[in-house]
Amino acid sequence: MKKSIVMLGAPGAGKGTQAKLMSEKYGIPHISTGDMLREAVKEGTELGLKAKEIMERGELVPDDLINAIVKERLARPDCEKGYILDGYPRTKAQAEFLDSVDGVNFVIFIHVPEELIVKRLVLRRTCPNCGAMYHLEFNPPKRDNLCDKCGTPLIQRDDDTEDVVKNRLAVYNEKTAVLLDYYRNRGILYKIDGNRPIKDVLQSIVQVVGE
Ligand code: AP5
């Protein structure tokens, strides 16, 4: 069966961490709209120029821009066996658009108490070269501030400051949390406790999605 998976959850819940592991396990692509936008910002494309300031404030990029890049990405041949969408959909309009493009069969909702989110994100570090992700306390690199995989100096995302994280959380509660009911009503929402070691969270997801 084609695995069309959506990762839902507040900023910092662990969507990207789990999506990467699931992508390796299932051999289907991890599609992160946040990563696609950051790439566009880095390359200075028209989309990147439009998205940069919106992302720095922790607001959402307009639906029509995001819908267009997701539609194009899902049409590529590597999505034929399935995909893992991380950070999309984020509004009801995006969810309805996704329904018009393809059918979703698993929505994995990773739940983490809000009071843990700020700490998770402010201490997150990422590798700008290979995309590996670390946390200075929970998952530190072996060598100080260097990526374990490729040795590149790690960076902190521009939107991982305390003020912006609080705004991202407010935006999530206002615009994205409605999707929980949207998918729950269709019987495809699976709630996973994200406040556990990374491998235990993955194990719970695999119990839902299957080997
Ligand atoms: P995006 O990049 O999607 O950010 P986000 O949704 O806020 O999610 P994060 O990447 O911050 O968190 P995550 O849940 O993936 O957690 P992670 O695994 O990294 O979006 C950024 C911006 O782009 C948005 O604000 C918006 O402007 C724009 N955008 C993107 N998509 C859009 C859309 N569809 N529509 C409109 N605008 C859009 O983990 C976090 C930290 O915790 C890491 O350090 C990790 O190591 C650690 N960690 C993970 N799991 C565990 C665990 N089990 N225990 C302990 N630590 C853990």
Side-chain angles (χ1 to χ4, degrees):
M1 179 178 86
K2 180 173 174 181
K3 293 187 194 308
S4 306
I5 306 170
V6 163
M7 306 299 287
L8 262 190
K15 304 181 296 293
T17 300
Q18 295 299 329
K20 279 193 178 68
L21 297 169
M22 291 158 70
S23 171
E24 283 164 22
K25 179 170 179 58
Y26 296 121
I28 53 177
H30 166 207
I31 302 174
S32 157
T33 43
D35 285 350
M36 289 160 97
L37 289 169
R38 279 183 288 278
E39 196 57 37
V41 170
K42 204 162 92 184
E43 287 173 1
T45 64
E46 199 183 327
L47 170 67
L49 293 175
K50 284 183 186 152
K52 186 173 187 297
E53 284 182 15
I54 300 174
M55 293 174 77
E56 281 171 356
R57 292 198 304 271
E59 304 288 336
L60 295 186
V61 171
D63 290 334
D64 53 345
L65 292 181
I66 291 288
N67 287 341
I69 61 169
V70 170
K71 186 175 180 184
E72 187 275 326
R73 182 65 187 87
L74 294 183
R76 294 199 206 158
D78 65 340
C79 292
E80 266 167 24
K81 282 197 299 174
Y83 48 80
I84 303 154
L85 279 168
D86 161 18
Y88 180 94
R90 247 181 163 93
T91 62
K92 191 153 175 274
Q94 291 180 16
E96 287 167 351
F97 181 82
L98 178 60
D99 285 341
S100 75
V101 173
D102 199 12
V104 173
N105 44 27
F106 297 100
V107 177
I108 304 295
F109 166 44
I110 305 185
H111 178 260
V112 171
E114 265 195 33
E115 58 272 21
L116 296 182
I117 297 284
V118 174
K119 186 174 180 189
R120 274 202 182 184
L121 290 181
V122 170
L123 295 181
R124 168 169 59 184
R125 297 293 180 271
T126 45
C127 174
N129 181 44
C130 71
M133 199 157 16
Y134 301 88
H135 188 279
L136 294 184
E137 192 177 321
F138 305 133
N139 178 26
K142 293 192 182 75
R143 288 174 298 161
D144 197 21
N145 213 42
L146 293 177
C147 179
D148 291 350
K149 292 184 182 159
C150 67
T152 306
L154 303 177
I155 55 163
Q156 182 177 24
R157 259 169 55 173
D158 291 339
D159 59 350
D160 277 350
T161 59
E162 189 165 342
D163 284 350
V164 180
V165 168
K166 285 184 175 156
N167 192 37
R168 285 162 60 196
L169 264 173
V171 169
Y172 169 80
N173 285 323
E174 187 194 337
K175 302 204 166 134
T176 308
V178 292
L179 297 184
L180 299 177
D181 276 344
Y182 183 86
Y183 288 119
R184 190 180 288 120
N185 292 339
R186 302 213 327 228
I188 54 171
L189 184 85
Y190 300 90
K191 184 175 175 181
I192 305 285
D193 176 5
N195 188 20
R196 294 175 296 150
I198 290 170
K199 66 172 182 22
D200 294 358
V201 178
L202 179 66
Q203 198 179 23
S204 298
I205 295 173
V206 171
Q207 276 169 8
V208 167
V209 178
E211 286 292 339

